[in-house]
Amino acid sequence: MDKKMGIVFWLATAWIGFMLACAVSAGFWPVPPPDQIDWINLAAKPGVGGHLLGTDNMGRDIAARLLFGARTSLTVGFFSPCIGLIFGCLVGVLAGFYRGWPEKMIGGAIDTFLAFPRLVFLLMATFVFGSSLPTLTIALGIVAIPSFARVARANTIRFAEREFVLAARGAGASDAAIVLREILPNVLMPMLVYMLLVMGFVIIAEGGLGFLGLSVPSPTPSWGGMIAEGREVLEQAPHVSMIPTIVMFLTIMSLNLVGDRMRGWFDGRESQL
């Protein structure tokens, strides 16, 4: 596995690990509080006034807001796909295993939800329940359920007719035992790989909502909110928006690279079985 993944995979993995470490240890870094205002250095360039990455248009330290914003963006980026994975895997496996009317009902519900504009759903959720981290996480998780359900259904159909499943059925195993012992372990691995890809899309979605002012309320930092706040001084101080944009770009690209390499590795291993 090490030789096949290559240096790009390990660099991407290292970046993801670094971002996770920054999010967990944000309170221990030698930076000022993310909402502390330096009235003397507004939109200061990196290195000015003791601010490593400069300040935003309100004089808040960009490095501090990046660290604490990582908590917001990565929390949404991890827990929302987890919600989609759990519920999508449940309905997808049921649809792919039993086929017939369960598949038609679940497939119809998935197609109906996919036809509904996702942005409208997210706007409705934030309007009804307010802009908060739990609301945003759950809403994006619900949006991700249909995609996970489709992947789980396709993989369940692929494994349902394999020899080990037929052998378990011939030995008298119940449907629950077949699903839990034979189907689910094989479906779960490609689902986890797909989850890495979805994490990138969810972080983009959170950033887009933050750009529209619909993410976590101020002064709680998020990468999307930081990018939006930099619009006001984009010509005079482009680093205010560009620094969080670069961090978000590298994180999403790393997730996509890791997920793509893992998918190729699992597909290659599956073809050898």
Side-chain angles (χ1 to χ4, degrees), residues 76 79-85 87-88 109-126 135-150 194 198 201-202 205-206 209:
V76 175
F79 286 103
S80 293
C82 282
I83 295 174
L85 173 67
F87 291 97
I110 292 173
D111 292 338
T112 301
F113 191 83
L114 288 175
F116 192 83
R118 301 184 182 186
L119 180 59
V120 175
F121 175 81
L122 294 173
L123 293 175
M124 290 174 55
T126 55
T135 298
L136 186 64
T137 302
I138 294 173
L140 287 171
I142 294 173
V143 168
I145 289 176
S147 299
F148 279 100
R150 281 191 165 186
Y194 181 67
V198 174
F201 290 111
V202 170
E206 185 279 327
L209 291 174

Side-chain angles (χ1 to χ4, degrees), residues 149-196:
R150 281 191 165 186
V151 174
R153 172 184 169 275
N155 282 280
T156 301
I157 293 175
R158 186 177 64 171
F159 287 109
E161 301 299 327
R162 297 289 293 270
E163 293 79 5
F164 55 88
V165 175
L166 297 177
R169 194 185 301 275
S174 63
D175 289 348
I178 293 175
V179 169
L180 293 176
R181 297 177 184 176
E182 309 295 341
I183 300 292
L184 193 57
N186 289 284
V187 171
L188 195 57
M189 293 309 298
M191 292 286 289
L192 291 174
V193 173
Y194 181 67
M195 178 179 168
L196 290 173

Side-chain angles (χ1 to χ4, degrees), residues 41-56 60-63 66 236-244 246:
N41 298 295
L42 301 179
K45 295 181 179 180
V48 176
H51 300 282
L52 179 63
L53 299 178
T55 61
D56 63 9
R60 298 172 297 189
D61 188 83
I62 292 178
L66 276 176
Q236 299 84 1
H239 69 280
V240 176
S241 287
M242 290 305 299
I243 291 176
I246 293 171

